[in-house]
Amino acid sequence: MESPHGAAVSAEDFGLEGPRGRVFRNVTFSAEPGELVAIEGPSGSGRTCLLLALTGRMRTTEGHAETGGLRLPKQAAAVRRIAALGPVPGVSELDPAFTVAEHLGERALLQGRYGSPLRALLRPRAERRAAAEARVDEALEAAGLDPATLPKSGRTSVRDLERLEALRLSVALALIGKPRLLAVDDTDLKLSDAEREQAWALLRSVADAGTTVLAVCSEAPGNTQVVRTAPAAGEADVEEPAIEEPAAEDATEKPVAGEPTTEEETADAFAEARRA
């Protein structure tokens, strides 16, 4: 599919502190447009919060980052206009009661009404419908999803999709808006080894087509830039990984130095940051 120019992404001493301690800290990296970046770490290590912060959907407290030349967190609203979310639990989940066709139709309608320039709305209805159908077809092709191969074609409910099929649908929905940056959470969750390879091949193909991709995972594939939210296997905390936990000021409220943030604490920080 025709792809827009990807967005460069960079961060310097990027961090977020929530009510119970730091969620992530000292994140420093840079990625070129059209690059695939894996945000690697165990569940509860702040990786989803970092993903949302880099796409302008969570306000950070330390350092700064840039996405597509837009500075974060100051220009978060502008970043949201060029960055699209794939599957992110609690933020952009698929509706299990919707069919594949309903999801695609709804996203195309919203894109045509709110994501297109005003002059596009003045075109004849038949022309707008044809353009929307072409945009959906391009997105499906890029995501490697053919509704005709599903049990009930486009009438297949999301609850009946396999995990990899649901991932492809989420990516297709995000690509309908032709974003410069695509963000995907839990890329390798509940996938077999073969399915995991297919998922990364999908994201690599999206990046190769020009869209920058940020993908959260437990274990990154080779030949991929990795931003870690916890020390890599065999690394000591003193080697200062991309994200580490600071010493606690209050043991009842903040984690002990070197101890990973719990999922409950990360969730609290997530909620607090979204209210900011």
Side-chain angles (χ1 to χ4, degrees):
M1 67 179 283
E2 181 181 355
S3 175
H5 186 64
V9 183
S10 63
E12 183 176 351
D13 295 328
F14 207 40
L16 169 63
E17 182 171 5
R20 297 196 181 191
R22 294 183 189 272
V23 179
F24 61 84
R25 65 173 295 190
N26 294 344
V27 175
T28 299
F29 77 99
S30 63
E32 297 297 322
E35 189 167 351
L36 172 59
V37 179
I39 300 177
E40 181 185 84
S43 179
S45 63
R47 56 189 192 173
T48 300
C49 293
L50 175 58
L51 184 79
L52 293 174
L54 292 170
T55 55
R57 290 166 171 84
M58 181 170 287
R59 182 172 294 276
T60 52
T61 56
E62 299 174 356
H64 71 274
E66 286 190 4
T67 296
L70 301 168
R71 195 174 180 88
L72 290 166
K74 184 178 181 180
Q75 295 177 286
V79 170
R80 290 195 294 272
R81 289 193 287 270
I82 66 170
L85 296 181
V88 179
V91 180
S92 57
E93 295 175 305
L94 298 173
D95 189 326
F98 270 34
T99 66
V100 170
E102 287 171 339
H103 267 296
L104 293 168
E106 178 186 58
R107 185 61 60 92
L109 177 63
L110 292 174
Q111 177 63 32
R113 182 168 298 178
Y114 302 109
S116 300
L118 180 60
R119 63 178 180 275
L121 299 177
L122 302 178
R123 293 154 61 185
R125 179 177 299 179
E127 188 176 336
R128 295 200 308 269
R129 183 183 299 111
E133 291 175 352
R135 187 183 290 260
V136 169
D137 289 342
E138 289 176 1
L140 287 170
E141 182 179 358
L145 180 64
D146 182 0
T149 64
L150 299 176
K152 297 181 180 179
S153 299
R155 294 180 292 106
T156 303
S157 296
V158 166
R159 64 168 61 92
D160 295 326
L161 295 177
E162 299 293 336
R163 162 67 179 156
L164 184 58
E165 292 170 339
L167 174 62
R168 292 186 185 279
L169 175 58
S170 291
V171 169
L173 293 173
L175 293 180
I176 286 175
K178 296 188 176 181
R180 297 177 60 193
L181 173 68
L182 170 66
V184 179
D185 196 13
D186 289 337
T187 300
D188 51 7
L189 179 67
K190 297 181 180 179
L191 294 179
S192 66
D193 291 342
E195 290 171 334
R196 189 176 295 112
E197 290 183 4
Q198 292 181 61
W200 284 111
L202 161 63
L203 299 183
R204 173 68 66 186
S205 69
V206 172
D208 288 344
T211 302
T212 307
V213 179
L214 301 178
V216 166
C217 62
S218 297
E219 183 177 356
N223 301 321
T224 302
Q225 179 174 182
V226 179
V227 178
R228 294 189 176 91
T229 56
E235 286 185 347
D237 289 351
V238 294
E239 292 183 7
E240 202 171 22
I243 297 177
E244 60 180 7
E245 298 298 338
E249 296 178 8
D250 182 343
T252 62
E253 292 293 325
K254 296 186 178 181
V256 178
E259 184 175 84
T261 304
T262 66
E263 293 187 30
E264 180 181 357
E265 290 166 345
T266 301
D268 287 346
F270 176 83
E272 180 68 22
R274 294 193 70 190
R275 288 195 293 269

